[in-house]
Amino acid sequence: MIMRKRIVAGNWKMNMEIGSARELARSVCNDLATRADLGLGKGKEVVLFPPYLFLPEVVEICREFVGIHAGAQNCHQEGKGAYTGEIAASMIKSVGATHTLIGHSERRSYFGEDDELLAKKTKAAMENDLTPVFCCGELLPEREANNHFEVVKSQLVNGLFWLEEVAFRHVVIAYEPVWAIGTGVTASPEQAQEMHAFIRGLVKEQYSEEVAENLTILYGGSCNAKNAKELFSNPDVDGGLIGGASLKAHDFLQIIEAL
Ligand code: PEP
């Protein structure tokens, strides 16, 4: 049975080159290796999301450490074929990665990825035994118009809720209000908790209370060493998806300590 976990994930986006990426992955792993007190592997996990090119190497670095995994930032919806420049879920799996982000807001806004496409990408990930970390979240005008619950609901209904219960149990959801990503403006702990509880409620309605209780929901958006503890202490916030602050081993470690 898939149980609810506590996860801190680092989305490196399009940053670094192989030398600095290798150094960051090694530094995170070596620091964590000395911290048995953090309980990694016992219901707590760290997942690194480097650029594709560095993924095989980051997988190898993480391999010997308990509770530290590596994943891709995206995957293509098709299995193989004439899609120049794209990467299939089976390829990601074949290098030993375990997770993939799906529908990060930068994919939605800069690459036009809509819910229909994201549903296909989720399917491709699941068929290849990758854990999809499905991102959802509203834009600032949507929150200001008090539409944020409807927006997130429709992203989940269209992107995920077509899954059978047995498959849905493998999904991790990341709530990332777009106005908080890379802006230095963080959702308040109350705003995060409110939306996470709403998402869990939707999952309860769609599947069951037991499925909802075992779902892992991460918060993302300017989460850092200073605010992580308060965000993660909410009952429905099971950890974080971290962008900028995951690029410095020291900051990232402090966020993991807050888990
Ligand atoms: C992200 O890109 O998923 C993210 C949360 O970025 P940041 O932490 O930099 O806001």
Side-chain angles (χ1 to χ4, degrees):
M1 170 138 129
I2 310 264
M3 307 282 285
R4 187 158 158 185
K5 289 184 177 141
R6 295 186 69 76
I7 299 176
V8 168
N11 175 13
W12 295 0
K13 311 195 188 191
M14 196 174 76
N15 289 298
M16 294 182 292
E17 292 171 0
I18 185 62
S20 45
R22 186 186 291 139
E23 205 175 304
L24 178 58
R26 281 194 186 140
S27 178
V28 168
C29 289
N30 290 333
D31 285 347
L32 290 174
T34 65
R35 299 295 307 273
D37 59 306
L38 296 176
L40 289 187
K42 297 175 193 142
K44 284 191 189 177
E45 285 179 3
V46 169
V47 190
L48 304 179
F49 290 95
Y52 283 136
L53 266 180
F54 312 147
L55 186 54
E57 187 144 354
V58 172
V59 166
E60 290 313 315
I61 292 169
C62 297
R63 195 182 290 284
E64 60 188 284
F65 297 94
V66 175
I68 313 179
H69 306 286
Q73 296 173 15
N74 178 31
C75 74
H76 196 265
Q77 65 277 17
E78 299 297 336
K80 63 175 182 169
Y83 301 101
T84 303
E86 289 292 337
I87 303 285
S90 60
M91 298 172 181
I92 297 166
K93 182 71 185 174
S94 74
V95 300
T98 48
H99 294 66
T100 181
L101 298 181
I102 303 276
H104 188 278
S105 78
E106 288 147 22
R107 300 294 319 169
R108 291 178 188 261
S109 62
Y110 303 147
F111 302 94
E113 297 191 359
D114 60 13
D115 293 337
E116 195 186 331
L117 177 66
L118 298 176
K120 290 182 184 156
K121 289 188 178 220
T122 303
K123 182 165 185 280
M126 311 248 15
E127 283 172 355
N128 287 282
D129 205 17
L130 292 170
T131 300
V133 178
F134 187 92
C135 305
C136 59
E138 79 284 356
L139 302 166
L140 184 58
E142 292 166 336
R143 179 164 278 264
E144 286 172 343
N146 211 23
N147 270 342
H148 44 298
F149 293 116
E150 274 316 301
V151 168
V152 167
K153 181 176 181 182
S154 99
Q155 289 170 340
L156 295 178
V157 167
N158 297 320
L160 280 184
F161 285 0
W162 56 274
L163 286 168
E164 300 282 344
E165 182 187 304
V166 58
F168 183 83
R169 285 176 183 277
H170 293 265
V171 171
V172 170
I173 291 177
Y175 168 59
E176 300 205 296
V178 181
W179 46 272
I181 298 180
T183 59
V185 180
T186 316
S188 68
E190 295 75 24
Q191 286 172 323
Q193 168 58 25
E194 186 183 35
M195 183 59 86
H196 284 225
F198 173 73
I199 293 171
R200 214 177 287 287
L202 292 176
V203 172
K204 180 178 165 185
E205 270 171 39
Q206 178 70 22
Y207 297 98
S208 72
E209 179 153 19
E210 185 265 313
V211 172
E213 280 309 311
N214 280 305
L215 171 68
T216 303
I217 311 177
L218 310 181
Y219 167 78
S222 297
C223 183
N224 58 38
K226 286 205 177 77
N227 58 31
K229 187 123 207 126
E230 221 186 334
L231 286 161
F232 298 171
S233 64
N234 288 287
D236 289 296
V237 179
D238 304 315
L241 177 54
I242 319 297
S246 72
L247 296 174
K248 291 199 183 109
H250 179 71
D251 291 15
F252 193 52
L253 191 70
Q254 283 187 290
I255 297 172
I256 297 165
E257 282 170 350
L259 199 56

